[in-house]
Amino acid sequence: MAAPVIETCHVACCANKTPNVVSWSRGGTIAFGTCNSVALYDPQEKRVVAVLNGHAGRVNAVQWVHREDCALESYLVSGGSDNRLILWEAQNEKFIQSVECKGHTAPICAVDAIYVEGSKILVASSASDSTVRLWLCNENKEAECLHIISFGSGFMMDVSLALLPGSRVPVLACGGDDSRVHLYVQSNGQQFQKAMSLQGHEDWVRGVAWASVGGELLLASCSQDCLIRVWRLCAKSGTDTRTKDDHTIIKMKEDVFEVRDRDVSSVFAVSLETVLAGHENWVYGVHWQHPFYKGGELQQPLSLLSASMDKTMILWAPEEGSGVWVEQVHVGEVGGNTLGFYGCQISPDGSMIVAHAFHGALHLWCKDQDKEGEWRPGVVISGHFSAVQDLSWDPEGEFILSVGSDQTTRLFTPWRQEDGKLATWHEISRPQIHGYDMQCLAMIGRFQFVSGADEKVLRVFQAPRNFVENFANISGTSREKLLTSSDSANLPEGASTPALGLSNKAVFQGDLAPKTTEGKEQFNSISDQYQESYFHPLNMTEPPPEDHLLQNTLWPEVQKLYGHGFEMFCLASDSARTVVASACKASKAEHAAVLLWSTATWRQLQTLPCHTLTVTQMAFSPDAQLLLAVSRDRTWSLWRRNLPTPESPEPQFSLHAHTGKDTAVHTRIIWSCDWSPDSKYFVTSSRDKKVIVWGPCRLEDTEDSVPPPEIKPRSSVLDVGDAATAVAFCPVFCSDNSYLLAVGLECGRILLYRWSPEQECAGELGWVSCGETDTLQSHALAVKRLRWRPRAGQAGRENNKKDGQADGESEIEEESSWVQLASASADHTVKIFNINKLAL
């Protein structure tokens, strides 16, 4: 079989901010909803192994369908804001859409599923249309809606299904905004009838979960009254009624209900087992540890996990002697400006627990193997929780910076572990946490970048010493080499944000010493009362958990650039790292000018007026001589760097060529542009589905730096079938010296083309399609930005070989046949693809 052209190397994403959106399978895979997709994450390999695209709205609830025989799950159910339920089936190690259930008229917020007869699956779903629906999915991939339970104007927050003890009759528990837990039982294989309502909670019931223990059922319910209640449901035989008259026995009050199944009547009793108080805020989720087989018998560990808005998780279990339920483990986050946890899960073997927080971050804790009863934070994946707008590789191709509408700038790099396992990508720094949605960024050198947000100011950031040292540890690069490349003498230790500010302030070595005064504290000024610096230097050998990312990995802001009249939209920097170009949103020509800034002094060098509407993207040619800008006004402009003169040593640009109303080929907004690696050609892509290569911008034979005056389309117009929102030229040539291009579409697909100016191919002039992402690799929403790694090979894979090792040559040769492409999308993900040039 031929090697795949495109393979997914990394997906950076996080869970949606809804409860019930994370589920852990027996196989060890964590499934969670991320934007409109379901991500399957392997916590052992620390990477996303698959992304399931099928929903047209946000995924709000995900649940594995656990099997009674404790075998690996082959089905997964998800519900979304598109009012649909999808049952996914595993086939040949891939998940495909098996059954779709339509019927809800509002977003689905909770799902659960169990096997009933043979391989039939009963699914319960609750939605904000105030109904709970029950569906029966059979082997023929058909779903039948068995029953609709309406709650009038009430909402059910969670649903849980189980089979009654000693029978195959399903029982459904619903917890809702009337502070009660409602139990429904199926009668004669069809309708569900209300058995009873359990009272006791004093606020909305947020979560319910069944567990089957030795012929009885336990039901855990958690609520906004900060309490968890555990109820016991057991079958009553006829002999139990004698003790009614005996007043000497103290018993909990029992509620009894009767079930008729195929003319057999049985009686069940429900009593309150215990009330667990330990959380200080709303409890959002409860989860029982999975049952397992031991000595041929099914064992259900009495281990209950709860997650709360107080940013903690508690693991509860009954004490061995007394049977009283107590806290076993209490873990959580401290600090940060975030809300608490939305839900929790226990790994099948009970050695790991995970919570997902309000901003989507996963928080993982692992049982410490050496110390009994100790838990420590584990390394886990992270990503943006809103649309990713822009990204950039560092000049050496060792890490990626991305910005998004979640108001953060994040830095991802491969983590090289000591045991020589394959490097996995992780977020190791969050240089900027802002008060405005981020829009664009440009790297200037290895450890400096400019970013723009929905404000009129540009901000320049520089890496602190603490980041450079930790980056060296995690990526396996030499620390001395990195510190000499950045001016290490003046580097601050880290950065922190003042309580009411947007600017990250540098924290120097002297600021870290605690201020102590003898006796009573003396405050010289008001600001002394409030500790500015929340920063504590970390020595990291592995990627940091979320609470460190929030507080200890900021970069200090070194400059603000004022000059634009509206929100920032795009940025570009030249390869010599001397000039930064910026543009903002504009509906008039006077605001649409491009501003140029000197990176040496941060002075504004020039204003380049040409366009009449927002400049959507800019790119400097690789030789830094030309600047290209494309705009919403459907035209592009090309600016040439003037030769430096003694009077003006600083770079100056003048307009060289542009398209007008009559010469424009594109008929809609031009979204994106990029340069060929030899600076001869540039490409534009537009909402009109067209991609065009223009040139030549340099003549073959002359050394003259002035480009030829006439620049016209060099390729035929390539129709890609959907709005082309991103385009990028690969910096490495293909084997036949043709150019490799990636085109990102509004639907989320990424296409690869080879183009060469000489070839007259059949059909499209010079274009050869050589691959595209399949449905599992594609984004679920528009591709916002594509960027190739600046050099061949895969980040984190090079210089692994020690000097003098054998077969290093073939290894290097094989490595150079790969190129990497990073993509940012409105579906909240950053994806990195490995592309095999030899397979193109």
Side-chain angles (χ1 to χ4, degrees):
M1 198 175 127
V5 177
I6 305 175
E7 51 182 60
T8 310
C9 160
H10 176 64
V11 182
C13 56
C14 70
N16 287 332
K17 31 172 131 176
T18 58
N20 313 317
V21 80
V22 179
S23 182
W24 205 324
S25 80
R26 282 188 186 285
T29 307
I30 299 177
F32 61 88
T34 176
C35 195
N36 299 354
S37 315
V38 178
L40 302 182
Y41 175 70
D42 185 332
Q44 300 291 348
E45 288 186 22
K46 300 182 178 50
R47 67 187 196 92
V48 172
V49 289
V51 178
L52 313 180
N53 294 325
H55 282 283
R58 182 180 71 179
V59 176
N60 297 329
V62 174
Q63 182 63 50
W64 289 98
V65 188
H66 301 301
R67 299 166 74 114
E68 292 171 81
D69 57 1
C70 295
L72 299 185
E73 295 87 349
S74 48
Y75 287 95
L76 171 72
V77 63
S78 63
S81 291
D82 53 0
N83 312 351
R84 293 187 307 160
L85 271 175
I86 295 180
L87 188 66
W88 306 87
E89 182 184 6
Q91 285 187 358
N92 310 329
E93 298 185 1
K94 280 191 175 173
F95 276 84
I96 57 151
Q97 216 167 303
S98 167
V99 184
E100 192 179 326
C101 308
K102 287 180 175 169
H104 279 294
T105 56
I108 293 166
C109 63
V111 292
D112 196 18
I114 54 167
Y115 286 92
V116 276
E117 311 148 25
S119 59
K120 287 187 180 171
I121 295 175
L122 179 69
V123 180
S125 60
S126 171
S128 30
D129 57 10
S130 297
T131 67
V132 169
R133 289 172 189 250
L134 292 127
W135 318 78
L136 193 62
C137 305
N138 58 23
E139 303 85 352
N140 309 332
K141 304 195 175 180
E142 295 163 349
E144 163 197 9
C145 185
L146 286 185
H147 191 71
I148 301 173
I149 306 168
S150 177
F151 290 91
S153 60
F155 298 107
M156 291 299 117
M157 307 292 163
D158 198 10
V159 289
S160 183
L161 284 166
L163 296 173
L164 283 171
S167 75
R168 303 290 301 164
V169 178
V171 56
L172 166 73
C174 311
D177 63 357
D178 57 0
S179 312
R180 298 177 184 190
V181 179
H182 303 280
L183 300 186
Y184 288 83
V185 176
Q186 192 175 21
S187 64
N188 293 326
Q190 274 299 319
Q191 300 283 332
F192 275 72
Q193 289 184 339
K194 185 160 187 179
M196 65 173 51
S197 291
L198 306 176
Q199 296 181 359
H201 284 297
E202 292 175 7
D203 206 336
W204 291 12
V205 177
R206 279 289 180 178
V208 285
W210 287 107
S212 171
V213 183
E216 297 180 333
L217 286 177
L218 288 181
L219 173 67
S221 62
C222 63
S223 158
Q224 290 180 185
D225 62 10
C226 313
L227 299 176
I228 299 153
R229 289 175 167 256
V230 181
W231 315 81
R232 181 181 291 275
L233 185 153
C234 53
K236 279 183 84 76
S237 58
T239 54
D240 290 354
T241 49
R242 276 184 302 131
T243 54
K244 260 188 197 165
D245 312 330
D246 192 345
H247 296 298
T248 57
I249 301 172
I250 297 176
K251 289 181 72 177
M252 286 297 286
K253 175 172 167 286
E254 284 188 339
D255 289 309
V256 181
F257 64 92
E258 193 177 341
V259 175
R260 292 189 70 81
D261 182 41
R262 299 192 181 88
D263 304 332
V264 179
S265 175
S266 24
V267 178
F268 294 91
V270 181
S271 60
L272 179 65
E273 172 83 2
T274 181
V275 179
L276 307 178
H279 286 295
E280 294 165 11
N281 208 328
W282 298 0
V283 188
Y284 256 90
V286 281
H287 183 241
W288 294 96
Q289 190 182 333
H290 292 287
F292 57 87
Y293 271 102
K294 189 174 178 184
E297 280 191 21
L298 192 61
Q299 307 266 341
Q300 167 69 52
L302 281 181
S303 187
L304 177 70
L305 182 67
S306 61
S308 159
M309 271 289 156
D310 64 8
K311 299 191 203 180
T312 66
M313 280 199 288
I314 300 180
L315 200 53
W316 307 86
E319 269 187 330
E320 285 200 0
S322 64
V324 175
W325 286 75
V326 290
E327 274 184 29
Q328 301 276 333
V329 183
H330 199 140
V331 296
E333 298 296 318
V334 183
N337 57 344
T338 58
L339 286 166
F341 293 152
Y342 261 167
C344 55
Q345 293 278 302
I346 312 183
S347 67
D349 60 358
S351 68
M352 291 188 276
I353 53 179
V354 72
H356 61 107
F358 175 73
H359 280 329
L362 295 173
H363 298 258
L364 183 80
W365 279 270
C366 312
K367 207 182 257 180
D368 201 323
Q369 301 304 330
D370 312 323
K371 297 183 189 144
E372 187 65 34
E374 294 261 325
W375 291 70
R376 51 182 180 72
V379 174
V380 75
I381 192 175
S382 65
H384 290 277
F385 57 85
S386 190
V388 189
Q389 300 292 353
D390 199 0
L391 58 77
S392 180
W393 288 86
D394 93 287
E396 298 292 314
E398 285 184 5
F399 60 82
I400 282 178
L401 269 172
S402 62
V403 294
S405 306
D406 61 358
Q407 310 190 341
T408 64
T409 302
R410 297 172 188 243
L411 189 148
F412 301 93
T413 192
W415 173 34
R416 219 178 264 165
Q417 297 179 50
E418 293 299 310
D419 52 13
K421 277 198 203 124
L422 211 59
T424 52
W425 282 79
H426 294 275
E427 181 183 353
I428 65 158
S429 176
R430 206 165 292 170
Q432 187 183 7
I433 299 173
H434 205 39
Y436 291 94
D437 292 5
M438 305 296 305
Q439 293 299 339
C440 51
L441 91 159
M443 294 287 301
I444 1 167
R446 287 214 73 178
F447 296 121
Q448 217 179 22
F449 71 90
V450 189
S451 71
D454 279 344
E455 54 172 349
K456 303 170 187 178
V457 191
L458 288 165
R459 295 170 188 267
V460 186
F461 294 87
Q462 184 174 5
R465 177 192 292 274
N466 193 241
F467 167 79
V468 179
E469 291 171 352
N470 287 329
F471 174 69
N473 292 346
I474 290 169
S475 64
T477 328
S478 127
R479 178 185 299 196
E480 287 66 39
K481 200 174 106 191
L482 290 177
L483 282 169
T484 49
S485 74
S486 53
D487 177 18
S488 62
N490 309 325
L491 281 187
E493 281 299 308
S496 71
T497 308
L500 297 172
L502 285 173
S503 306
N504 297 351
K505 294 177 74 169
V507 177
F508 288 92
Q509 191 68 48
D511 305 338
L512 295 170
K515 300 176 192 163
T516 52
T517 46
E518 289 302 313
K520 226 175 78 187
E521 290 210 32
Q522 293 292 313
F523 296 122
N524 298 333
S525 69
I526 287 186
S527 61
D528 284 356
Q529 294 178 40
Y530 301 102
Q531 283 288 302
E532 285 277 284
S533 168
Y534 305 115
F535 166 77
H536 300 289
L538 298 173
N539 183 24
M540 298 188 302
T541 51
E542 60 177 33
E546 179 74 10
D547 52 339
H548 284 323
L549 284 171
L550 282 170
Q551 246 165 261
N552 297 323
T553 63
L554 289 169
W555 289 17
E557 188 181 299
V558 292
Q559 198 71 43
K560 288 185 184 63
L561 310 181
Y562 297 95
H564 285 288
F566 288 93
E567 297 92 335
M568 298 311 311
F569 201 82
C570 63
L571 278 165
S573 63
D574 66 342
S575 56
R577 315 270 172 238
T578 56
V579 183
V580 171
S582 63
C584 69
K585 288 184 184 172
S587 50
K588 292 198 188 95
E590 66 211 68
H591 304 301
V594 173
L595 298 189
L596 294 185
W597 311 84
S598 155
T599 60
T601 60
W602 292 118
R603 283 192 329 124
Q604 189 178 316
L605 294 174
Q606 248 184 310
T607 305
L608 309 180
C610 176
H611 293 284
T612 55
L613 294 170
T614 308
V615 171
T616 51
Q617 213 169 77
M618 297 175 291
F620 282 93
S621 60
D623 63 8
Q625 294 306 307
L626 297 164
L627 168 64
L628 170 69
V630 295
S631 165
R632 216 178 96 193
D633 64 14
R634 308 171 188 183
T635 66
W636 54 257
S637 59
L638 192 62
W639 304 80
R640 183 177 88 232
R641 188 189 287 250
N642 303 337
L643 293 169
T645 60
E647 296 87 62
S648 63
E650 290 190 312
Q652 294 285 318
F653 282 74
S654 53
L655 184 61
H656 175 73
H658 65 96
T659 47
K661 280 213 164 114
D662 44 349
T663 50
V665 182
H666 290 295
T667 55
R668 303 294 296 274
I669 178 173
I670 305 178
W671 276 124
S672 184
C673 63
D674 199 20
W675 283 92
S676 67
D678 52 12
S679 304
K680 274 187 200 167
Y681 305 100
F682 62 86
V683 62
T684 56
S685 76
S686 160
R687 187 185 278 167
D688 63 10
K689 309 179 186 178
K690 293 176 190 161
V691 176
I692 303 168
V693 178
W694 306 76
C697 301
R698 277 171 62 189
L699 293 173
E700 293 288 330
D701 38 11
T702 62
E703 288 299 309
D704 188 12
S705 67
V706 177
E710 197 186 8
I711 292 175
K712 52 185 199 289
R714 278 305 305 263
S715 69
S716 62
V717 172
L718 174 67
D719 189 327
V720 289
D722 192 19
T725 49
V727 66
F729 262 116
C730 181
V732 186
F733 286 94
C734 295
S735 47
D736 58 355
N737 275 347
S738 57
Y739 300 100
L740 177 60
L741 257 107
V743 182
L745 307 183
E746 199 166 31
C747 64
R749 281 219 319 280
I750 297 170
L751 316 175
L752 294 180
Y753 289 95
R754 285 210 318 268
W755 177 79
S756 81
E758 286 78 38
Q759 273 175 310
E760 294 266 345
C761 294
E764 303 281 353
L765 172 67
W767 293 107
V768 181
S769 170
C770 49
E772 63 173 81
T773 52
D774 60 30
T775 47
L776 290 172
Q777 294 172 317
S778 299
H779 289 284
L781 294 171
V783 179
K784 287 285 192 181
R785 192 70 196 252
L786 291 173
R787 292 271 184 134
W788 293 90
R789 184 165 185 252
R791 47 193 234 212
Q794 300 174 47
R797 292 284 293 273
E798 291 129 343
N799 57 30
N800 265 354
K801 287 265 176 200
K802 303 279 181 289
D803 297 330
Q805 253 180 311
D807 49 81
E809 300 300 315
S810 62
E811 190 87 6
I812 288 165
E813 206 166 284
E814 197 220 358
E815 192 48 58
S816 65
S817 68
W818 292 94
V819 282
Q820 281 185 311
L821 174 67
S823 66
S825 164
D827 70 357
H828 310 183
T829 62
V830 171
K831 293 192 180 188
I832 301 167
F833 300 100
N834 298 332
I835 289 158
N836 187 346
K837 289 208 325 257
L838 304 182
L840 289 173

